[in-house]
Amino acid sequence: LATVAWYRRDFGRAIAMYSDVLSARSRLLGARHRDTLKAQFDLSSSYQLSGDLVRAEKLLRDVLEQQRQAFGSEDPDTLSSLNNLQGLYYLSKRYADALPVATEVFERRRRSLASDHPDLFTAQHNLAAILFQLRREEEAEALVGGALEGRRRVIGRRHSGTLRTWE
């Protein structure tokens, strides 16, 4: 039900429900269980989308630290949390903070994924967007060009991800 509330953009309800899920999972599974951390990640996302970026960042940083300790830095869930952290910084217009995080996500995805994996193109696009905001246009253009070409080749010219990169 929390996910339904989230998709309906009823973030107050989603936050309350994810808080309950997190408490139950912590009690039953332990604080470092993957499902518990997923609930905390979802709660953080709800706070972020509700506009409470301070609370979202605190929760997300905690999730990320626990994921790194429990599963390692290359784990897909850890990388997803790291990607969300750079996104939170981007939304907050904290581009200098976002840059090293986005660079880490891109580098780790480049090492761990196939060269034609859509998540790699997303990481490349995100890094380019941050570089553009930091007025590093030449670097941004090179990265976005690679992401656009890859997306066109792998997911097609008319896919929403390709169109977003093309913008």
Side-chain angles (χ1 to χ4, degrees), residues 118 121-122 125 147-148 151-152 154-167:
F121 303 137
T122 298
H125 171 99
L148 180 59
R151 283 181 164 171
R152 282 180 176 163
V154 174
I155 60 177
R157 292 181 169 285
R158 295 180 188 211
H159 189 278
S160 62
T162 304
L163 296 174
R164 261 192 314 277
T165 299
W166 191 37
E167 292 173 343

Side-chain angles (χ1 to χ4, degrees), residues 2-3 6 10-26 35-63 81 84 88:
T3 303
W6 190 88
D10 184 355
F11 300 119
R13 187 168 174 230
I15 287 167
M17 295 176 96
Y18 279 130
S19 294
D20 290 345
V21 170
L22 177 59
S23 293
R25 286 186 180 170
S26 292
D35 291 345
T36 304
L37 293 172
K38 173 70 169 102
Q40 190 172 348
F41 175 89
D42 291 340
L43 179 59
S44 171
S45 294
S46 296
Y47 276 118
Q48 181 175 335
L49 291 171
S50 77
D52 190 344
L53 301 181
V54 172
R55 192 168 291 163
E57 181 179 352
K58 181 183 180 314
L59 284 166
L60 189 54
R61 285 182 162 283
D62 185 54
V63 167
S81 294
N84 273 27
L88 188 144

Side-chain angles (χ1 to χ4, degrees), residues 94-151:
R94 293 166 53 191
Y95 306 120
D97 291 332
L99 181 60
V101 180
T103 301
E104 182 179 352
V105 170
F106 176 64
E107 291 300 327
R108 290 188 185 284
R109 294 232 193 257
R110 191 164 59 173
R111 282 195 304 270
S112 64
L113 299 174
S115 63
D116 61 350
H117 196 286
D119 288 351
L120 177 61
F121 303 137
T122 298
Q124 192 172 2
H125 171 99
N126 291 345
L127 179 55
I130 292 164
L131 288 168
F132 180 77
Q133 292 297 331
L134 292 170
R135 305 292 187 246
R136 293 168 58 177
E137 287 91 358
E138 287 182 24
E139 293 169 87
E141 189 174 336
L143 280 170
V144 82
L148 180 59
E149 173 54 34
R151 283 181 164 171

